[in-house]
Amino acid sequence: MATDSKSKATSTARMSVNTSGLQERGTKVGETLPTPLGSPVNAPSRNKSSWGSKLVLLGIPLGALAVLGLTSSYWYPGSQISGPRMNSYRRRDNQGIPDTAQVISPKSFAVLDKVQPGTEFDGFSLFVPPGYTENSLKAKPFHILDDSFYDIIGDDPSLTLLADSGTDPLFHEAVVWYAPMHKDTDEVFFVQNAGAKAAGTGMNKSAIVQKISLSQAANVQQGSRNSTDITTINSTVQIVNPNGATAYRGKIIFAGEGQGSDIAPALYEMDPNEPYDTTVILNNFFGRQFNSLNDIAVNPRNKELYFTDVTYGYLQDFRPAPIIANQAYRFNVDTGAIQVVADGIQKPNGIAFSPGGQYAYITDTGISGGFWGNNYTNSAAIYRYNVQDDGSFENRKVFAFTHVGNADGESSALGNVYAGAGDGIHVFNPSGILIGKIYLGETSANFAFAGDGKLVICAETHLFYATLAAKTWDPEA
């Protein structure tokens, strides 16, 4: 990895904002990408055939493109977010709908002229309601299915493409913005996809940790920059195949998936400032290796770490056969105590808490089998648990089921539950009813709020910045 003479800890690459060809799936995008990190690339051309120019002609800014990951949260009485409703699909006339939004009533597709057989339409197929096309769904990506979604998106939501990495999934998961951190560093961290064939990561080399400047992202959204700088982090101890992460006590805790039989999955604590001092804080369960640590969150009540462990390293050919069940754990950093808090989940993935800590949410990506293929009869659910005063989980219930792909990657914000799915973001009210979408037409695995009304979004080969009305919260506050 290229470094400069002044700092061996970082290398920076300018990633172009390449929107040409994105409208048609399967076309080549970003001809100047992928490029080795540390090498400059040219800004995209602004020709009339680009998606960005077509959006301008439609009166939609280039910033109206993005996807999200899963967030979860708890609804407080008296908050801006309204309570559960199933029949309020029209509150405003067309003049009151934001330019980047459109109303799509569930009533319009409750009965279809033809329901396709499973050989033609399955659990990863993109659903296009009658009267719409995939392009029209992308053109105005904020899809309002219920009035309460207006309070989430506000009057002028925007979605901005920050970077396009070609075929290398540089923008996967572990999106972290630490509230006190931004005052000094103004940065958001994320990781490359481990085990992706296009990246060559997993067994042969580890996925990498990266960061961007939040102020640069805002400048791209405002039109004063064409791209953001993507900086690769070289920590003092290598974080091997990182996947999930959370801010914790001024540091970032990464969940590493491990590599082969000799490098066990582990939790890594990294200082977000150079030289990025890093320490392994957990790498076993009473002597047994974990499968592939996946995601991690902080319980806002007891301030302990909770994380998921799943067999994706094995299913993607960079970890040995599993020797322990797929489970969720809690870990006390101060005492070293570790406990299983949830089992019986096919593939536990994202994990998050409600702001008050009363509920925990875990996504089950059982439908996705890695290189072994998909099983559409397996789970694609979000489960909700009651969190007891002693920190244990009880009373698992199905909160929601993802109709395209599976929910993955979690963080929290005041209001409703947001889930990254196979076509973008699904937003559920506190009862688990789908109230809106942020539609991309492709999968997003993870994102994080970077202050009130700001989101940094990973979508594998695309990185996005979104602005909307939703607010965030700090689990350590």
Side-chain angles (χ1 to χ4, degrees):
M1 199 63 63
T3 59
D4 59 37
S5 59
K6 294 182 180 180
S7 173
K8 295 183 179 180
T10 62
S11 59
T12 302
R14 294 181 60 82
M15 309 294 291
S16 70
V17 184
N18 192 319
T19 58
S20 61
L22 285 177
Q23 190 170 18
E24 299 297 330
R25 295 176 62 83
T27 58
K28 293 183 178 180
V29 299
E31 294 295 334
T32 58
L33 294 171
T35 183
L37 289 173
S39 302
V41 295
N42 296 325
S45 61
R46 302 289 185 181
N47 57 61
K48 293 183 179 180
S49 63
S50 73
W51 191 17
S53 61
K54 290 180 181 178
L55 288 174
V56 171
L57 292 174
L58 289 169
I60 305 170
L62 180 60
L65 312 172
V67 288
L68 308 179
L70 172 76
T71 68
S72 65
S73 55
Y74 180 72
W75 175 68
Y76 288 109
S79 71
Q80 286 186 324
I81 307 303
S82 59
R85 292 176 292 184
M86 295 189 67
N87 60 354
S88 54
Y89 300 106
R90 298 184 186 277
R91 182 181 69 176
R92 308 181 182 184
D93 57 25
N94 289 336
Q95 292 181 345
I97 300 174
D99 290 340
T100 53
Q102 55 185 312
V103 175
I104 300 178
S105 170
K107 183 71 172 179
S108 67
F109 54 83
V111 177
L112 301 175
D113 290 339
K114 179 184 178 181
V115 181
Q116 295 171 286
T119 54
E120 300 176 15
F121 193 93
D122 57 40
F124 279 88
S125 299
L126 297 177
F127 176 61
V128 179
Y132 297 87
T133 66
E134 187 175 340
N135 287 339
S136 70
L137 294 176
K138 291 178 180 178
K140 296 189 175 185
F142 292 90
H143 297 175
I144 302 164
L145 280 72
D146 182 86
D147 274 0
S148 53
F149 197 53
Y150 283 107
D151 296 314
I152 293 171
I153 63 176
D155 294 328
D156 189 26
S158 70
L159 299 166
T160 304
L161 177 63
L162 297 179
D164 179 336
S165 61
T167 59
D168 188 349
L170 289 176
F171 317 119
H172 180 53
E173 292 199 34
V175 188
V176 171
W177 176 82
Y178 185 62
M181 184 191 308
H182 80 284
K183 297 177 182 178
D184 299 320
T185 62
D186 188 38
E187 293 169 342
V188 176
F189 293 75
F190 50 89
V191 303
Q192 184 185 28
N193 192 330
K197 291 182 178 180
T201 52
M203 192 65 192
N204 295 324
K205 64 179 181 179
S206 173
I208 58 175
V209 179
Q210 303 154 98
K211 69 177 182 179
I212 62 167
S213 162
L214 190 61
S215 61
Q216 287 188 9
N219 289 339
V220 175
Q221 188 266 335
Q222 295 162 6
S224 59
R225 288 182 66 102
N226 288 329
S227 63
T228 57
D229 295 335
I230 311 294
T231 301
T232 299
I233 305 301
N234 294 320
S235 53
T236 57
V237 172
Q238 185 180 26
I239 302 170
V240 180
N241 288 323
N243 191 77
T246 188
Y248 187 65
R249 297 179 178 178
K251 307 292 178 66
I252 299 176
I253 309 298
F254 287 94
E257 295 190 76
Q259 187 178 61
S261 299
D262 295 331
I263 301 178
L267 295 181
Y268 299 82
E269 179 187 80
M270 188 191 81
D271 189 316
N273 302 295
E274 293 189 62
Y276 307 111
D277 289 332
T278 301
T279 304
V280 176
I281 60 172
L282 178 71
N283 66 1
N284 73 95
F285 181 74
F286 295 93
R288 295 167 72 180
Q289 287 192 3
F290 296 106
N291 294 318
S292 298
L293 299 189
N294 191 279
D295 202 5
I296 186 168
V298 179
N299 182 332
R301 287 201 283 179
N302 63 19
K303 313 301 182 185
E304 293 181 347
L305 297 173
Y306 289 66
F307 61 91
T308 55
D309 183 39
V310 65
T311 53
Y312 277 122
Y314 171 66
L315 296 175
Q316 292 177 288
D317 296 341
F318 65 90
R319 285 282 294 146
I323 60 167
I324 198 167
N326 289 334
Q327 300 173 135
Y329 298 80
R330 65 186 288 196
F331 176 59
N332 187 304
V333 175
D334 298 322
T335 67
I338 185 170
Q339 176 192 19
V340 174
V341 291
D343 67 356
I345 308 169
Q346 290 176 349
K347 294 185 180 70
N349 203 307
I351 184 169
F353 290 88
S354 62
Q358 295 93 335
Y359 298 118
Y361 299 87
I362 296 178
T363 64
D364 189 346
T365 54
I367 189 174
S368 299
F371 296 160
W372 293 37
N374 302 319
N375 185 334
Y376 303 119
T377 65
N378 281 349
S379 179
I382 303 171
Y383 295 116
R384 191 182 79 182
Y385 298 80
N386 291 340
V387 181
Q388 303 304 298
D389 291 339
D390 64 2
S392 61
F393 291 179
E394 288 187 358
N395 303 325
R396 186 180 88 175
K397 64 166 287 185
V398 174
F399 175 78
F401 186 88
T402 310
H403 73 76
V404 53
N406 43 241
D408 187 14
E410 301 191 23
S411 62
S412 299
L414 293 176
N416 298 274
V417 177
Y418 304 63
D423 60 357
I425 289 297
H426 295 185
V427 183
F428 302 91
N429 72 11
S431 295
I433 299 168
L434 184 64
I435 61 172
K437 288 186 181 183
I438 303 174
Y439 187 88
L440 185 69
E442 62 179 301
T443 299
S444 170
N446 198 244
F447 79 97
F449 277 90
D452 289 341
K454 296 177 288 187
L455 293 165
V456 174
I457 304 145
C458 280
E460 301 304 327
T461 58
H462 300 140
L463 183 67
F464 299 90
Y465 175 73
T467 62
L468 64 170
K471 296 183 181 297
T472 188
W473 65 288
D474 181 2
E476 294 191 83

